[in-house]
Amino acid sequence: MSDLYARIAGIGAYLPEKILTNAGMEAIVETSDAWIKERTGIEQRHIAADGELTSDLGAAAARDGLKNAGIDIEAVDLIVVATATPDLTFPATATIIQEKLGITHGAAFDVHAVCSGFLYALATADNFIRCGQAKTALVIGTETFSRILDWTDRTTCVLFGDGAGAAVLTAESGPADGQGVLKTHLRSDGRFRDLLYVDGGPSATKTVGHLRMQGNQVFRHAVNKIAGSMKELADQAGIDIADIDWFVPHQANQRILLGVSKKLGIPEHKVISTVAKHGNTSAASIPLAFDAAIRDGRIKRGDLVLMEALGGGFTWGAALTRY
Ligand code: UT7
């Protein structure tokens, strides 16, 4: 039985320079700062510049993560990119990032689980490391959702933003000092695909399409499904939710993340929320929030961190790490 495990050596982030505030949104669609804040907690979001691609955001977050981890780029032998907004239909955004980082060895590929993408990518890289197939992995969540929004649809365009986050995982051999990815729990159920999807794609329409969501129905499922996944994961890991130091949820809506924490009895001061400043950045939201909480000194080495997400598919899940 292998005693390899994946340690989070560092986290990195990148946000595009341009900020679109709720006041700016009022000039685009019939909405109000008050409505957006009250229903979602969002105050602003970042928007990628013309010509700034998902791979550019991802490469910048990866460089930041490697710098924070103190790890040489040459050590990376696996890149797993979570994105629903790839540069192109193919090749994978991961290989484009690999080229931008100047890496010519190892393997790079994308995983597609929309807002749960970071958890799916993390679980994939964790398993590669546990199996001895990778030694240093970049797990990147990177999105330019601004490119697939219908900017005439106020029910969706106010919710999302662009950004990227990255985690650098290194293979360590046991006995574990307790730092690392402890457990991941992934779920999906394709019966819910019509509640949150993009109405275009190469095979169905030969177009890129726009994001469509029945928000209130997604909301209804989100809290229960996420809380269920977290409970199952905590049981499998043999930990009590009360032992969690920090809760880093997917940043879709302040009401969802507080609803989940309340359901599980996680006090509000343990909840990391960046939804006000970033909006929903899909696969990038968890590493962006994780990064923000490391930078401001809340998450420290040795802390027990629980992450969760739900996204189109539906896909959902949770991950437990000791940072
Ligand atoms: O990350 C992937 C997962 N995604 C999510 O988790 C998103 C989940 N859903 C949500 O976060 C919320 O459902 C929304 C924020 C999308 C919407 O909040 P809600 O409280 O569920 O509102 P609603 O959709 O039930 O709409 C309430 C009202 C409607 O008007 P009527 O029909 O009551 O007259 C909407 O037309 O709010 C109206 N509305 C808006 N008003 C001003 C919808 N969007 C806007 C807007 N500005 N941007």
Side-chain angles (χ1 to χ4, degrees), residues 15 32 45 59 174 185 210 224 281:
L15 287 160
S32 68
R45 68 289 291 146
H185 185 262
H210 291 113
N224 286 335
T281 58

Side-chain angles (χ1 to χ4, degrees), residues 208-224:
V208 172
H210 291 113
L211 182 146
R212 306 291 173 206
M213 175 165 71
Q214 295 181 43
N216 46 13
Q217 297 216 44
V218 176
F219 193 111
R220 226 165 29 85
H221 286 282
V223 174
N224 286 335

Side-chain angles (χ1 to χ4, degrees), residues 30-32 35-36 39-40 115 154-155 158-160 196 213 215-216 218-219 222 250 252-253 255-256 280 310-312:
E30 197 182 328
T31 189
S32 68
W35 189 95
I36 301 171
R39 300 292 177 121
T40 71
C115 296
R154 69 175 184 174
T155 68
V158 303
L159 304 172
F160 295 90
L196 175 50
M213 175 165 71
N216 46 13
V218 176
F219 193 111
H250 168 50
N253 184 320
R255 289 190 291 142
I256 296 179
N280 181 348
L310 176 133

Side-chain angles (χ1 to χ4, degrees), residues 62-115:
R63 282 193 199 95
D64 188 47
L66 287 164
K67 184 179 75 174
N68 293 336
I71 285 180
D72 195 84
I73 233 163
E74 279 300 303
V76 174
D77 57 359
L78 176 70
I79 303 175
V80 187
V81 170
T83 188
T85 46
D87 289 11
L88 300 165
T89 302
F90 78 78
T93 300
T95 58
I96 301 173
I97 291 175
Q98 184 189 31
E99 190 270 333
K100 285 183 176 173
L101 294 177
I103 300 170
T104 53
H105 58 268
F109 58 89
D110 290 358
V111 300
H112 194 340
V114 206
C115 296

